Amino acid sequence: MTRSQNPDNLQNRPAWKLFVRLFFWLTLLPAGSWLIISSFIDPAHRNFLFFWRFLITLVLFGLLFHFRVFRAVHEGLHAIAAHWSEVPPSFITARDTFVFVKITDKKSWYKITLYPLLFPITIFLLFIPWNWEVGLYLASILAASSNRDLANLVMVSRTRGKWVSDTAEGLFVYDTLPS
């Protein structure tokens, strides 16, 4: 049975789709709003050099997104967090560019899901000496790409159960450990 055909899959619920859209816009709006507002408040610091640095940075990030470099880093951080949470290696699988954990307790699953959100924070901190506004914008773009993880986090936290299974077939929560 495929992911979209399974009625128990948490990702098939309308609430999950709503949260995906909500988190996407909530992570992009602060940086976009700041860039627009700050350009009207203080146009003197929006010079020609800023425009070209911003444009070159966006093009480079666009290329890295296109070639799935950030996806590989993001999913790799999920795998690292799974190993650190002492999930047995046989329970960690990958398909295409996604990492899945066959079964784990909710507490460990939360750590595995939230760990890649440190990546946008790191990008922001690395850009502070160069240009914190560009760093804020790029960190928001990276955080927006984690909107499905955040939606999964909400859906799992709202569902009763102690065990989480995140596989290619879907996201499931169980009361007892499945065999």
PDB file of all heavy atoms in Angstrom, residues 95-112:
ATOM      1  N   ARG A  95      15.463   6.494   1.358  1.00  0.00           N
ATOM      2  CA  ARG A  95      14.859   6.280   0.047  1.00  0.00           C
ATOM      3  C   ARG A  95      14.916   7.610  -0.682  1.00  0.00           C
ATOM      4  O   ARG A  95      14.420   8.616  -0.178  1.00  0.00           O
ATOM      5  CB  ARG A  95      13.428   5.800   0.214  1.00  0.00           C
ATOM      6  CG  ARG A  95      12.748   5.474  -1.077  1.00  0.00           C
ATOM      7  CD  ARG A  95      11.386   4.907  -0.786  1.00  0.00           C
ATOM      8  NE  ARG A  95      10.714   4.581  -2.017  1.00  0.00           N
ATOM      9  CZ  ARG A  95       9.440   4.280  -2.086  1.00  0.00           C
ATOM     10  NH1 ARG A  95       8.714   4.245  -0.988  1.00  0.00           N
ATOM     11  NH2 ARG A  95       8.889   4.009  -3.226  1.00  0.00           N
ATOM     12  N   ASP A  96      15.510   7.598  -1.867  1.00  0.00           N
ATOM     13  CA  ASP A  96      15.750   8.822  -2.620  1.00  0.00           C
ATOM     14  C   ASP A  96      16.615   9.727  -1.733  1.00  0.00           C
ATOM     15  O   ASP A  96      17.710   9.335  -1.362  1.00  0.00           O
ATOM     16  CB  ASP A  96      14.419   9.454  -3.028  1.00  0.00           C
ATOM     17  CG  ASP A  96      14.594  10.574  -4.046  1.00  0.00           C
ATOM     18  OD1 ASP A  96      15.609  10.565  -4.766  1.00  0.00           O
ATOM     19  OD2 ASP A  96      13.718  11.453  -4.124  1.00  0.00           O
ATOM     20  N   THR A  97      16.148  10.901  -1.373  1.00  0.00           N
ATOM     21  CA  THR A  97      16.947  11.773  -0.498  1.00  0.00           C
ATOM     22  C   THR A  97      16.309  11.911   0.884  1.00  0.00           C
ATOM     23  O   THR A  97      16.590  12.859   1.610  1.00  0.00           O
ATOM     24  CB  THR A  97      17.072  13.185  -1.114  1.00  0.00           C
ATOM     25  OG1 THR A  97      15.768  13.680  -1.363  1.00  0.00           O
ATOM     26  CG2 THR A  97      17.892  13.158  -2.372  1.00  0.00           C
ATOM     27  N   PHE A  98      15.461  10.973   1.264  1.00  0.00           N
ATOM     28  CA  PHE A  98      14.775  11.041   2.553  1.00  0.00           C
ATOM     29  C   PHE A  98      15.263   9.944   3.482  1.00  0.00           C
ATOM     30  O   PHE A  98      15.550   8.831   3.048  1.00  0.00           O
ATOM     31  CB  PHE A  98      13.259  10.922   2.371  1.00  0.00           C
ATOM     32  CG  PHE A  98      12.682  12.045   1.568  1.00  0.00           C
ATOM     33  CD1 PHE A  98      12.432  11.898   0.219  1.00  0.00           C
ATOM     34  CD2 PHE A  98      12.413  13.266   2.162  1.00  0.00           C
ATOM     35  CE1 PHE A  98      11.905  12.931  -0.531  1.00  0.00           C
ATOM     36  CE2 PHE A  98      11.890  14.302   1.426  1.00  0.00           C
ATOM     37  CZ  PHE A  98      11.637  14.138   0.072  1.00  0.00           C
ATOM     38  N   VAL A  99      15.339  10.266   4.783  1.00  0.00           N
ATOM     39  CA  VAL A  99      15.732   9.318   5.810  1.00  0.00           C
ATOM     40  C   VAL A  99      14.484   8.952   6.606  1.00  0.00           C
ATOM     41  O   VAL A  99      13.690   9.821   6.971  1.00  0.00           O
ATOM     42  CB  VAL A  99      16.811   9.920   6.736  1.00  0.00           C
ATOM     43  CG1 VAL A  99      17.083   9.022   7.919  1.00  0.00           C
ATOM     44  CG2 VAL A  99      18.087  10.170   5.958  1.00  0.00           C
ATOM     45  N   PHE A 100      14.325   7.663   6.884  1.00  0.00           N
ATOM     46  CA  PHE A 100      13.171   7.168   7.630  1.00  0.00           C
ATOM     47  C   PHE A 100      13.637   6.371   8.832  1.00  0.00           C
ATOM     48  O   PHE A 100      14.676   5.715   8.790  1.00  0.00           O
ATOM     49  CB  PHE A 100      12.304   6.258   6.751  1.00  0.00           C
ATOM     50  CG  PHE A 100      11.782   6.935   5.517  1.00  0.00           C
ATOM     51  CD1 PHE A 100      12.339   6.681   4.280  1.00  0.00           C
ATOM     52  CD2 PHE A 100      10.736   7.826   5.601  1.00  0.00           C
ATOM     53  CE1 PHE A 100      11.857   7.296   3.149  1.00  0.00           C
ATOM     54  CE2 PHE A 100      10.241   8.448   4.474  1.00  0.00           C
ATOM     55  CZ  PHE A 100      10.800   8.182   3.237  1.00  0.00           C
ATOM     56  N   VAL A 101      12.851   6.432   9.908  1.00  0.00           N
ATOM     57  CA  VAL A 101      13.109   5.644  11.110  1.00  0.00           C
ATOM     58  C   VAL A 101      11.928   4.697  11.277  1.00  0.00           C
ATOM     59  O   VAL A 101      10.798   5.136  11.454  1.00  0.00           O
ATOM     60  CB  VAL A 101      13.279   6.544  12.350  1.00  0.00           C
ATOM     61  CG1 VAL A 101      13.478   5.711  13.591  1.00  0.00           C
ATOM     62  CG2 VAL A 101      14.446   7.496  12.151  1.00  0.00           C
ATOM     63  N   LYS A 102      12.215   3.409  11.223  1.00  0.00           N
ATOM     64  CA  LYS A 102      11.152   2.399  11.237  1.00  0.00           C
ATOM     65  C   LYS A 102      10.269   2.490  12.475  1.00  0.00           C
ATOM     66  O   LYS A 102       9.055   2.514  12.379  1.00  0.00           O
ATOM     67  CB  LYS A 102      11.787   1.009  11.132  1.00  0.00           C
ATOM     68  CG  LYS A 102      10.813  -0.120  11.024  1.00  0.00           C
ATOM     69  CD  LYS A 102      11.534  -1.440  10.844  1.00  0.00           C
ATOM     70  CE  LYS A 102      10.572  -2.584  10.795  1.00  0.00           C
ATOM     71  NZ  LYS A 102      11.264  -3.857  10.661  1.00  0.00           N
ATOM     72  N   ILE A 103      10.874   2.569  13.634  1.00  0.00           N
ATOM     73  CA  ILE A 103      10.101   2.684  14.882  1.00  0.00           C
ATOM     74  C   ILE A 103      11.002   3.281  15.958  1.00  0.00           C
ATOM     75  O   ILE A 103      12.180   2.951  16.061  1.00  0.00           O
ATOM     76  CB  ILE A 103       9.507   1.322  15.343  1.00  0.00           C
ATOM     77  CG1 ILE A 103       8.506   1.495  16.471  1.00  0.00           C
ATOM     78  CG2 ILE A 103      10.586   0.350  15.740  1.00  0.00           C
ATOM     79  CD1 ILE A 103       7.176   1.978  16.012  1.00  0.00           C
ATOM     80  N   THR A 104      10.438   4.187  16.742  1.00  0.00           N
ATOM     81  CA  THR A 104      11.160   4.778  17.864  1.00  0.00           C
ATOM     82  C   THR A 104      10.131   5.369  18.828  1.00  0.00           C
ATOM     83  O   THR A 104       8.974   5.574  18.464  1.00  0.00           O
ATOM     84  CB  THR A 104      12.161   5.865  17.403  1.00  0.00           C
ATOM     85  OG1 THR A 104      12.938   6.286  18.511  1.00  0.00           O
ATOM     86  CG2 THR A 104      11.466   7.045  16.787  1.00  0.00           C
ATOM     87  N   ASP A 105      10.570   5.645  20.048  1.00  0.00           N
ATOM     88  CA  ASP A 105       9.657   6.260  21.014  1.00  0.00           C
ATOM     89  C   ASP A 105       9.482   7.737  20.653  1.00  0.00           C
ATOM     90  O   ASP A 105      10.276   8.309  19.917  1.00  0.00           O
ATOM     91  CB  ASP A 105      10.193   6.100  22.436  1.00  0.00           C
ATOM     92  CG  ASP A 105      11.533   6.757  22.623  1.00  0.00           C
ATOM     93  OD1 ASP A 105      12.510   6.266  22.006  1.00  0.00           O
ATOM     94  OD2 ASP A 105      11.600   7.755  23.344  1.00  0.00           O
ATOM     95  N   LYS A 106       8.423   8.337  21.162  1.00  0.00           N
ATOM     96  CA  LYS A 106       8.095   9.718  20.792  1.00  0.00           C
ATOM     97  C   LYS A 106       9.196  10.707  21.182  1.00  0.00           C
ATOM     98  O   LYS A 106       9.517  11.604  20.422  1.00  0.00           O
ATOM     99  CB  LYS A 106       6.776  10.148  21.448  1.00  0.00           C
ATOM    100  CG  LYS A 106       5.568   9.926  20.593  1.00  0.00           C
ATOM    101  CD  LYS A 106       4.362  10.629  21.206  1.00  0.00           C
ATOM    102  CE  LYS A 106       3.149  10.485  20.319  1.00  0.00           C
ATOM    103  NZ  LYS A 106       1.975  11.142  20.885  1.00  0.00           N
ATOM    104  N   LYS A 107       9.777  10.522  22.363  1.00  0.00           N
ATOM    105  CA  LYS A 107      10.806  11.454  22.828  1.00  0.00           C
ATOM    106  C   LYS A 107      11.999  11.473  21.865  1.00  0.00           C
ATOM    107  O   LYS A 107      12.480  12.538  21.480  1.00  0.00           O
ATOM    108  CB  LYS A 107      11.255  11.072  24.243  1.00  0.00           C
ATOM    109  CG  LYS A 107      12.224  12.027  24.864  1.00  0.00           C
ATOM    110  CD  LYS A 107      12.569  11.600  26.272  1.00  0.00           C
ATOM    111  CE  LYS A 107      13.628  12.510  26.851  1.00  0.00           C
ATOM    112  NZ  LYS A 107      14.042  12.108  28.182  1.00  0.00           N
ATOM    113  N   SER A 108      12.452  10.308  21.471  1.00  0.00           N
ATOM    114  CA  SER A 108      13.557  10.232  20.516  1.00  0.00           C
ATOM    115  C   SER A 108      13.146  10.773  19.155  1.00  0.00           C
ATOM    116  O   SER A 108      13.928  11.435  18.477  1.00  0.00           O
ATOM    117  CB  SER A 108      14.036   8.791  20.368  1.00  0.00           C
ATOM    118  OG  SER A 108      14.553   8.316  21.570  1.00  0.00           O
ATOM    119  N   TRP A 109      11.910  10.500  18.761  1.00  0.00           N
ATOM    120  CA  TRP A 109      11.443  10.973  17.465  1.00  0.00           C
ATOM    121  C   TRP A 109      11.415  12.501  17.413  1.00  0.00           C
ATOM    122  O   TRP A 109      11.753  13.101  16.397  1.00  0.00           O
ATOM    123  CB  TRP A 109      10.058  10.396  17.151  1.00  0.00           C
ATOM    124  CG  TRP A 109       9.608  10.716  15.770  1.00  0.00           C
ATOM    125  CD1 TRP A 109       9.902  10.040  14.626  1.00  0.00           C
ATOM    126  CD2 TRP A 109       8.805  11.827  15.384  1.00  0.00           C
ATOM    127  NE1 TRP A 109       9.323  10.660  13.549  1.00  0.00           N
ATOM    128  CE2 TRP A 109       8.639  11.762  13.993  1.00  0.00           C
ATOM    129  CE3 TRP A 109       8.206  12.863  16.080  1.00  0.00           C
ATOM    130  CZ2 TRP A 109       7.908  12.699  13.279  1.00  0.00           C
ATOM    131  CZ3 TRP A 109       7.477  13.800  15.361  1.00  0.00           C
ATOM    132  CH2 TRP A 109       7.341  13.706  13.979  1.00  0.00           C
ATOM    133  N   TYR A 110      11.025  13.135  18.528  1.00  0.00           N
ATOM    134  CA  TYR A 110      11.042  14.596  18.579  1.00  0.00           C
ATOM    135  C   TYR A 110      12.460  15.129  18.363  1.00  0.00           C
ATOM    136  O   TYR A 110      12.663  16.096  17.628  1.00  0.00           O
ATOM    137  CB  TYR A 110      10.508  15.109  19.917  1.00  0.00           C
ATOM    138  CG  TYR A 110       9.027  14.934  20.123  1.00  0.00           C
ATOM    139  CD1 TYR A 110       8.526  14.616  21.373  1.00  0.00           C
ATOM    140  CD2 TYR A 110       8.118  15.081  19.088  1.00  0.00           C
ATOM    141  CE1 TYR A 110       7.166  14.462  21.587  1.00  0.00           C
ATOM    142  CE2 TYR A 110       6.757  14.920  19.291  1.00  0.00           C
ATOM    143  CZ  TYR A 110       6.290  14.609  20.538  1.00  0.00           C
ATOM    144  OH  TYR A 110       4.950  14.462  20.743  1.00  0.00           O
ATOM    145  N   LYS A 111      13.443  14.512  19.010  1.00  0.00           N
ATOM    146  CA  LYS A 111      14.837  14.943  18.841  1.00  0.00           C
ATOM    147  C   LYS A 111      15.281  14.769  17.396  1.00  0.00           C
ATOM    148  O   LYS A 111      15.935  15.647  16.837  1.00  0.00           O
ATOM    149  CB  LYS A 111      15.749  14.126  19.751  1.00  0.00           C
ATOM    150  CG  LYS A 111      15.608  14.415  21.211  1.00  0.00           C
ATOM    151  CD  LYS A 111      16.520  13.493  22.005  1.00  0.00           C
ATOM    152  CE  LYS A 111      16.225  13.522  23.467  1.00  0.00           C
ATOM    153  NZ  LYS A 111      17.013  12.530  24.213  1.00  0.00           N
ATOM    154  N   ILE A 112      14.933  13.635  16.808  1.00  0.00           N
ATOM    155  CA  ILE A 112      15.316  13.358  15.427  1.00  0.00           C
ATOM    156  C   ILE A 112      14.681  14.376  14.481  1.00  0.00           C
ATOM    157  O   ILE A 112      15.318  14.841  13.532  1.00  0.00           O
ATOM    158  CB  ILE A 112      14.912  11.920  15.037  1.00  0.00           C
ATOM    159  CG1 ILE A 112      15.723  10.913  15.844  1.00  0.00           C
ATOM    160  CG2 ILE A 112      15.080  11.680  13.547  1.00  0.00           C
ATOM    161  CD1 ILE A 112      15.182   9.491  15.786  1.00  0.00           C
TER     162      ILE A 112
END
